[in-house]
Amino acid sequence: MNYFDLHCDTLSRCVQKNEVVEKNTGCVDVERLSAFDKCYQVYAAFIRDDISPADALTSFNRQYSLYKFSDFKNTGHILSVENASLLDYSLYRLCYLRECGVQILTLTWNGENCLGGGADTNIGLSDFGKTVIKECERLGIIVDLSHLSDKSFYDAMSIISKPPIASHSNCRAVCNHRRNLTNEQLQNIFAAGGIVGLNLHCDFVGDKFFPGNILKHIEHLLTLGGENSIALGTDFDGCSPIKDVENIEKMTKFYEILSENLGISLANKIFYEKRSFLL
């Protein structure tokens, strides 16, 4: 069984708990990831909204240090940043992130930052945010549309020329939450060759139990033409996941349920395939 997850908050949790990525008491660690035949885990350096840009940069550096010196053994690993407030209107800092190996940038969290408005706002992208998107594409950093306000989302899509991702967002038509994406937004991502990661946070799924609504989200994505664009974006270590898939070792059960209900071919696509542009 292969596994590719577009988003977890394990780095920030490990920093908070003084634990390590190799083995910890959270949802994800290298030891458990090693059980998969092939795997890639995207580790997000999460930046809170309520801290200054200087503190945001410090927070990133702490998480990056943990990431840099971790032993990932035979598991694939990708570094992302969730909330670009640390850029503080500086493209030099964006270049610094790229030098650190950051491959994915989630532009905002839920509030407003120097790039624009997150999901809790009605604000679009700033001029700086639009410039950052262009510079990300020049530097080879993938733009992550999760957490954006609707206005910021469409501002971003009007600029993006390379496949974007929504690393951990579900369907608003299935669960009417501002963090989920509308049908039109999802189809915009599919048309651009991007992918959408299923978020296991119960508030975004719409219930607390597995399989429950998570299958409804997948089936809805399929009706929108997303067969080759559905991925995993668990949000492990940063959410309250639905019961029975609360951590990495439970994802085998997820795979089995998907295989039984939707077929092995689609289960394989969701769990690992169609990710080449990320590597």
Side-chain angles (χ1 to χ4, degrees), residues 54-250:
D55 288 341
L57 183 59
T58 298
S59 178
F60 167 77
N61 284 331
R62 288 174 178 165
Q63 294 176 70
Y64 170 62
S65 180
L66 177 65
Y67 177 86
K68 181 179 180 179
F69 294 105
S70 294
D71 181 1
F72 293 100
K73 299 180 181 177
N74 63 326
T75 65
H77 50 95
I78 293 172
L79 181 62
S80 71
V81 169
E82 183 178 21
N83 188 358
S85 62
L86 77 166
L87 295 182
D88 194 24
Y89 297 99
S90 171
L91 292 179
Y92 291 107
R93 287 193 178 182
L94 184 63
C95 292
Y96 168 67
L97 294 183
R98 191 68 188 96
E99 290 171 0
C100 290
V102 171
Q103 292 177 244
I104 299 170
L105 185 66
T106 312
L107 304 179
T108 68
W109 198 49
N110 291 327
E112 181 183 4
N113 65 21
C114 55
L115 281 75
D120 286 347
T121 79
N122 292 312
I123 300 168
L125 290 182
S126 67
D127 289 341
F128 178 69
K130 296 173 183 178
T131 299
V132 165
I133 288 176
K134 295 175 183 178
E135 192 66 6
C136 279
E137 294 195 332
R138 187 185 73 81
L139 293 170
I141 298 174
I142 294 168
V143 175
D144 182 1
L145 303 171
S146 285
H147 279 285
L148 289 178
S149 70
D150 288 351
K151 288 183 179 179
S152 288
F153 178 95
Y154 288 111
D155 284 346
M157 288 303 301
S158 71
I159 299 166
I160 287 172
S161 62
K162 296 182 179 180
I165 68 171
S167 64
H168 55 305
S169 294
N170 295 340
C171 307
R172 202 176 297 178
V174 176
C175 176
N176 188 21
H177 194 289
R178 63 188 179 279
R179 268 282 287 110
N180 290 337
L181 299 173
T182 67
N183 290 351
E184 183 179 24
Q185 289 171 331
L186 292 163
Q187 289 174 317
N188 277 194
I189 294 171
F190 299 158
I195 55 178
V196 175
L198 295 165
N199 191 319
L200 299 186
H201 180 40
C202 57
D203 286 351
F204 307 153
V205 173
D207 64 28
K208 297 182 178 180
F209 303 98
F210 177 76
N213 277 356
I214 197 69
L215 288 180
K216 294 180 182 178
H217 284 279
I218 296 171
E219 289 164 355
H220 188 73
L221 290 167
L222 292 173
T223 67
L224 298 176
E227 180 177 347
N228 296 319
S229 303
I230 310 171
L232 298 174
T234 62
D235 210 3
F236 279 151
D237 287 321
C239 74
S240 298
I242 52 179
K243 295 183 184 301
D244 294 326
V245 283
E246 301 98 337
N247 50 49
I248 190 70
E249 59 262 45
K250 301 288 185 67

Side-chain angles (χ1 to χ4, degrees), residues 2 14 22-23 32 43 48 63 76 81 86-87 158 272:
N2 300 331
C14 283
E22 289 85 345
K23 185 175 182 179
R32 286 173 283 177
Y43 294 90
R48 291 162 36 198
Q63 294 176 70
V81 169
L86 77 166
L87 295 182
S158 71
Y272 191 81

